[in-house]
Amino acid sequence: MKTVIITGAAGGMGGATLNLFKSRGYKVLATDRVEVTGSDFQVVGDISDEVTWQKITKIIDQETLEVKSLINIAGRNYFDLITEAKKSEWLNMFEVNVVAMVLGIKHVLPYLRKSKQGTIVNMSSIAAQIGTSGYSAYVATKGAVDSLTKALALELAPEVRINAVAPGWIETPFTVAGLNLNPDPVAYRKTVEGMHALNRVGTPDEIAKVIFFLASEESSFMTGSIVTSDGGYLIKN
């Protein structure tokens, strides 16, 4: 069975990515900290714990799945000024946003190599390129994701390709919650939309399409790339 593994599959972009791969004929092995709707197989757990990945590989073996792609979407955020930075939060940010990717790649790589022309797509962010006040931990982890992607592109070539997608503002529950923290969410949303050349924020479905492209043979001559999908945010700001 042609299968893709998606982490963070219960989230906005994770769910959209799951649905797109399903519509293209893939089986989906999903993982998140909560139940995932619509997947063929799932493991509920912490992806920064190797036990979770051992459970995932057990399913692969039991079901004799042909793993074509690993999509690393799961991640978290943390806001604090550097003068208030908490060591435990910083360590957990790197554990979830970076080390969990490393563990996933470590455990899934043999299956990707076996399937031939396997691919990995990592979730980055334009935050890695521009910085954001108060979110230095998040920015630092996404910078690490970019560097990890480039380093592994050399290490895994030519058998496995690895790329990353760097979204801008995307209409997810997490983003909406952030907008609603502003004293005037409606006005702030208009300001945020105006920061984009396309004058709007993106949708999870739009990012899912970029992920699918990077995971598919349509991007066969790409590896080590960080693909920006931000509605023109960077060029306007």
Side-chain angles (χ1 to χ4, degrees):
M1 299 179 201
K2 187 170 64 172
T3 305
V4 60
I5 299 172
I6 303 175
T7 75
M13 286 187 281
T17 303
L18 185 158
N19 291 334
L20 180 55
F21 273 94
K22 288 282 291 180
S23 73
R24 300 295 178 89
Y26 283 78
K27 296 289 184 181
V28 175
L29 197 170
T31 183
D32 209 310
R33 297 179 68 92
V34 296
E35 294 283 333
V36 179
T37 303
S39 62
D40 299 282
F41 313 95
Q42 69 171 288
V43 172
V44 177
D46 179 358
I47 56 168
S48 63
D49 185 344
E50 288 200 80
V51 170
T52 298
W53 289 104
Q54 290 164 357
K55 291 178 180 178
I56 288 171
T57 56
K58 184 176 181 180
I59 291 175
I60 295 171
D61 292 335
Q62 288 178 337
E63 302 291 336
T64 60
L65 303 177
E66 181 187 5
V67 181
K68 302 298 292 184
S69 298
L70 168 63
I71 314 297
N72 290 310
I73 297 177
R76 58 160 299 211
N77 208 339
Y78 165 59
F79 175 88
D80 230 340
L81 298 178
I82 199 65
T83 51
E84 305 298 324
K86 299 173 182 62
K87 181 180 179 181
S88 60
E89 292 283 2
W90 272 77
L91 289 174
N92 187 250
M93 282 291 291
F94 273 89
E95 189 172 47
V96 173
N97 291 5
V98 184
V99 177
M101 283 189 185
V102 173
L103 295 179
I105 293 167
K106 168 189 171 183
H107 285 275
V108 176
L109 185 58
Y111 301 97
L112 293 173
R113 282 178 166 153
K114 182 179 179 181
S115 72
K116 302 197 184 323
Q117 299 181 322
T119 57
I120 301 167
V121 183
N122 294 333
M123 181 59 67
S124 182
S125 168
I126 60 169
Q129 302 175 54
I130 60 176
T132 307
S133 178
Y135 290 98
S136 54
Y138 180 78
V139 170
T141 61
K142 292 307 180 180
V145 168
D146 288 358
S147 296
L148 175 68
T149 301
K150 293 173 183 178
L152 290 183
L154 296 175
E155 184 174 330
L156 306 185
E159 296 92 353
V160 176
R161 297 187 299 108
I162 178 169
N163 294 286
V165 57
W169 286 76
I170 306 300
E171 187 84 23
T172 63
F174 177 84
T175 299
V176 172
L179 289 171
N180 289 338
L181 290 176
N182 190 275
D184 189 344
V186 175
Y188 183 49
R189 184 186 179 92
K190 285 291 183 184
T191 299
V192 168
E193 290 174 344
M195 293 176 180
H196 300 73
L198 297 183
N199 205 36
R200 66 177 177 85
V201 298
T203 68
D205 287 340
E206 289 174 313
I207 301 304
K209 291 174 184 176
V210 179
I211 291 171
F212 186 86
F213 168 73
L214 292 175
S216 74
E217 279 303 297
E218 296 299 315
S219 61
S220 58
F221 198 54
M222 294 177 65
T223 194
S225 294
I226 314 300
V227 178
T228 299
S229 183
D230 69 345
Y233 184 98
L234 289 180
I235 59 172
K236 192 168 183 180
N237 295 277

